[in-house]
Amino acid sequence: MSSTLRTALPLLASLSLAALLSACTNAQEGRPAEAGSTCNAAAADKFIGQTLSGYVERQALLEAGASVARVLRPDDAATMDYDPQRLNIHVDPGKIIIKLACG
């Protein structure tokens, strides 16, 4: 095997892996993240008081213009990182939405 090919293979493998992981992330979110979009939780306030379901979560995500949602139940541990494209959906023990916030 030539030295050029031997040097290029790890780089090619890394690029392929990065592309694959990126595609998986977008598929899990249901839609690609929009560059520069930010979350607006107030636009999804109509979901407060509703029981959380997959459908309600997706609708709140769309209404807020967020690229990803995170459901936070009482006593859940959560990272403190701020993501302006993330909608945080706070629910009570009965899965009733009590608060929507971005971050």
Side-chain angles (χ1 to χ4, degrees):
M1 184 181 313
S2 74
S3 64
T4 305
L5 184 57
R6 192 174 307 133
T7 306
L9 281 177
L11 177 61
L12 186 57
S14 295
L15 291 173
S16 298
L17 180 60
L20 179 63
L21 290 175
S22 175
C24 290
T25 299
N26 289 339
Q28 289 172 353
E29 293 174 1
R31 64 186 180 108
E34 298 170 12
S37 68
T38 56
C39 173
N40 176 10
D45 276 351
K46 67 182 180 184
F47 296 103
I48 293 175
Q50 292 190 26
T51 302
L52 181 68
S53 67
Y55 175 78
V56 170
E57 182 179 340
R58 285 188 302 275
Q59 292 304 309
L61 181 70
L62 290 172
E63 291 283 332
S67 61
V68 65
R70 172 171 67 173
V71 176
L72 297 168
R73 293 167 181 79
D75 300 322
D76 272 356
T79 60
M80 297 305 292
D81 64 313
Y82 181 79
D83 182 351
Q85 297 178 342
R86 178 175 56 210
L87 177 66
N88 293 306
I89 304 172
H90 299 263
V91 297
D92 70 7
K95 294 177 59 176
I96 304 297
I97 298 172
I98 55 174
K99 178 181 173 185
L100 296 166
C102 297

